[in-house]
Amino acid sequence: MTPGRSGVGEWLAGRLPVLAAEVAAVLALLLAAVGNSPFWALPPALVAVGVLAWVWRDGLRGGRISSEETLVVRLLLLATGYLVGAVHGNLDPFLAVGVGVAAVAILGETPMMAVSRSVYPVSANLPGSGLRPPLRPNTSRAVLVNSVAVLAALGCGFSGLIGVVSLVVSVAALGLVGFTGWQAITRVRARHRSEARLTAALTAHEPAFVVHWEAPAATGYQIAMWLPYLERLGKKYFVLVRSEANFNEVLRLTTAPVVFRAGLTELDDVIVPSLKAAFYVNTATKNCHLIRYTRLKHIQLNHGDSDKVPSHNPVFRMYDKNFVAGQAAIDRFAANGVHMPAEMFSIVGRPQVENVAIASEPIAAITSPRVLYAPTWSGFYADSNYSSLPVGYDIIKALLARGCSVVFRPHPYSQRSAALTAECARIRTLLAEDRRTTGRPHVFGPQAEVKMSVMDCFNASDVLISDVSSVVADYLYSEKPFAMVAVSVPAERFTDAFPLARAAYVIDAHGGRVQGLDQVLDDLLGSDPLASTRHDLKKYYLGDIPSEGYAQHFLDEAGRYL
C-alpha cells in the first residue's frame, strides 16, 4: 500500500534496512557471477544476512515475523549460493535441487500467509459457538526454517560442503510451509463453522445487554474499569469487540462471552431478541455501527470524567443516555456550546471510587508525605495535549528535595510517544537512584503501573500531582490535596478553562518551563487552604450520593434499562 504524504518519512525509515539488504544481496549475486573468486561475494552476502537478522530482531525474540518484505532478499541470497557453486566449482546436483526446493518454499509463504490471515476468532466463553478460539498457525516458524534453508545453500556454495545438506534442510522447510498452510485451512473452516452457529448460540445465551468496545491496542483499562460493575448487575451479557487485539485483551479480563465482529454488516449476527441495551465505554467511531439498532437503549459510560476537550464532544448526543459522574459533566457540555436536553443524562457517580480511602488527617500532620505523580499523555490531537511529563523530572526533583516519597504512574499511552517514553525513563532512573541512596520507599515501574490499580495508587498516597485528567476528578473523592499542572494555558487562565482546578494548587508549566513551584508545594504539602473547596466540589463532580452504597446508585440506574 502506498503511504500518504505525511507518512512517507516513516515509511522510508522502515524500508531502508530492507532496501540495504536487497542492495547487498544484488551485489553478492553480481560478484558471484563475474568475480574472480567466490569469496568476493561473501562480504555483501554476510551484510545482507546481518541486516535481515536486525530487521527480524523482535521476531527472533518471540514476536511475529513478516515474510513479504524480505522475500526478495532471501531469493537473491539463494541465487547467490547457486551461482557460487555453478560458476566457481563443480555444481553439486543436490545443491541445485536444494536451491530450487527452498525457492518453492519461500514463494509458498505468500499463500500460506494469506490463508493464515483469515484465521481469526469469532467468539470465546460462548457455549455452542466457541469456548476457546482457534489460534493462528505459527507462520514465523516456517519463515525462519526457510531462512535456515537459505543459509544452508550459501554455506554449501561457499564451503564446498556436499549439497545434500542443503537439500535435506530445504525439503524440511517446504514440508513445514505445507503443514502450516494445512493448519491454516483447517482453522479457517473451524472459523466458518463457529460463525454459522453464532446467532443460535447467542440466542440460547439470552443476553440482556451487550458491551461494545473498539479501541487501539493496549487500551484495556477503558473497559476493565467497568466490567466488575456490569457483572454486579446480575444479568447475562456479552462483550462485542471490533478488532482481534481488543478480543485478546478482553479475554484476559472477563469470563463472560466475547464476540469479535469486524464489519458493519456482521453485527446483524449478534442482535438477538433478548437484548435490551448496549453500553459503551468510549466514543470510538465504530460505535455508530451498533447505534443503528434503534430497538436497543444505547448508554454511554465513558472511561473517566475530566475537563478535557473530548469530555464535551458533540458525539455524545447520539446516545440515548449518558451516564455521568456528577452535575459538573452536564454543565461542561453547556459551557462549551454543546446543548443537550437534561433527559439525555443520568448522574450515577463514579462507582470505581467506592473503595478509595478518605483523608483521615490534615496533610500538615504527615511528616514524610507520599506523592502520587500521575501525568496524562499527549493526546491524539494538539488541543488535547495536557501532559506535564516534559517537566515531570523537575517536579520530582523538587519533591525529593522536600523529603517526599513518590508513586509514579504515567498514563499507559505515554509509551506511544518516544519523547514521553524517554521522560518516563528519566524519572524512573531518578527515583531508583534516590531509593538506593536514601532508602525512601518510592513505587514505580511495573509495581505502580501493572500490579497496582489506579485506586491502589490513590490509597497509597497522601497527595496527588496530575494534569487535566479523569484521575484528578476521581482523586477528589478522597478529599486529599492535589495539584494540577497547567500546560496548555497559563496558570492565571487555567481555572477558567478547567473548572476542577478551583480545588487544585496550580503548577505553571505553560511554555515548557516550571514557574513558582516552591510556593505551590508549600500550600500543597503544608497549610492546604483549599481543603473546604475540595469537600464542596466533591459532590458537584462525583454526585451527591452517600458514601455508604455509593456504587449501588450506578447499579440501580443501569438496571432500569434491563
Side-chain angles (χ1 to χ4, degrees), residues 17 61-62 65 76 133 260 263 272 332 398 412 437-438 443 493 500 502:
R61 290 194 292 262
I65 292 177
L76 288 170
F260 169 39
V272 294
R332 185 184 301 119
T437 56
T438 68
V443 183
R493 292 196 284 115
L500 180 54
R502 287 176 289 166

Side-chain angles (χ1 to χ4, degrees), residues 207-434:
F209 66 92
V210 57
V211 184
H212 180 278
W213 185 51
E214 193 269 331
T219 322
Y221 71 92
Q222 293 182 350
I223 192 169
M225 68 172 65
W226 285 109
L227 286 175
Y229 298 95
L230 295 172
E231 290 277 358
R232 283 164 60 175
L233 290 171
K235 302 285 187 180
K236 290 182 180 180
Y237 73 98
F238 69 97
V239 180
L240 173 63
V241 297
R242 313 302 300 282
S243 74
E244 191 172 348
N246 290 162
F247 182 92
N248 294 330
E249 284 184 86
V250 172
L251 213 52
R252 295 191 289 267
L253 299 173
T254 184
T255 57
V258 182
V259 176
F260 169 39
R261 298 282 79 191
L264 173 65
T265 57
E266 294 175 345
L267 298 191
D268 290 343
D269 300 336
V270 303
I271 306 302
V272 294
S274 59
L275 278 179
K276 296 179 175 63
F279 291 97
Y280 306 82
V281 299
N282 62 19
T283 55
T285 303
K286 286 188 178 181
N287 288 2
C288 65
H289 292 181
L290 190 62
I291 283 179
R292 68 193 175 96
Y293 296 95
T294 54
R295 73 174 183 82
L296 302 180
K297 200 72 165 179
H298 299 279
I299 303 169
Q300 175 61 254
L301 303 176
N302 214 355
H303 53 275
D305 180 77
S306 75
D307 290 324
K308 288 183 176 181
V309 169
S311 292
H312 53 78
N313 191 325
V315 76
F316 285 93
R317 289 173 173 151
M318 73 178 180
Y319 303 94
D320 297 312
K321 275 287 183 179
N322 288 278
F323 280 13
V324 295
Q327 184 64 36
I330 300 173
D331 293 345
R332 185 184 301 119
F333 283 96
N336 288 277
V338 182
H339 301 292
M340 297 169 62
E343 57 268 23
M344 295 189 78
F345 297 101
S346 288
I347 294 177
V348 299
R350 278 281 289 165
Q352 292 82 3
V353 303
E354 64 175 334
N355 295 316
V356 171
I358 296 174
S360 58
E361 58 183 332
I363 186 64
I366 301 174
T367 306
S368 300
R370 173 176 275 183
V371 181
L372 168 60
Y373 178 46
T376 190
W377 67 302
S378 54
F380 286 111
Y381 308 105
D383 67 353
S384 56
N385 182 3
Y386 307 109
S387 180
S388 64
L389 269 171
V391 297
Y393 187 88
D394 296 330
I395 294 172
I396 297 296
K397 281 184 69 176
L399 292 171
L400 298 181
R402 290 172 177 255
C404 299
S405 59
V406 174
V407 178
F408 176 48
R409 184 187 172 96
H411 192 289
Y413 274 15
S414 299
Q415 64 186 348
R416 290 171 172 260
S417 161
L420 296 189
T421 299
E423 292 300 330
C424 288
R426 287 182 72 208
I427 292 172
R428 294 188 191 105
T429 301
L430 175 63
L431 293 175
E433 178 61 22
D434 187 79

Side-chain angles (χ1 to χ4, degrees), residues 436-451:
R436 186 184 66 81
T437 56
T438 68
R440 280 193 286 252
H442 304 306
V443 183
F444 55 92
Q447 180 66 33
E449 299 172 37
V450 180
K451 294 181 181 179

Side-chain angles (χ1 to χ4, degrees), residues 464-547:
L464 168 72
I465 296 178
S466 188
D467 307 325
V468 179
S469 166
S470 62
V471 168
V472 178
D474 287 350
Y475 199 78
L476 187 61
Y477 189 83
S478 72
E479 300 183 20
K480 298 173 184 177
F482 59 86
M484 294 176 68
V485 185
V487 173
S488 57
V489 297
E492 60 268 18
R493 292 196 284 115
F494 193 67
T495 54
D496 294 334
F498 309 105
L500 180 54
R502 287 176 289 166
Y505 301 98
V506 179
I507 299 172
D508 191 349
H510 184 62
R513 188 168 59 88
V514 176
Q515 302 179 61
L517 181 58
D518 285 337
Q519 180 60 53
V520 172
L521 294 183
D522 286 343
D523 292 338
L524 177 68
L525 303 173
S527 58
D528 188 20
L530 294 175
S532 60
T533 306
R534 288 195 303 275
H535 181 77
D536 294 340
L537 283 182
K538 177 179 175 178
K539 293 180 180 179
Y540 181 57
Y541 274 88
L542 296 172
D544 189 3
I545 304 168
S547 57

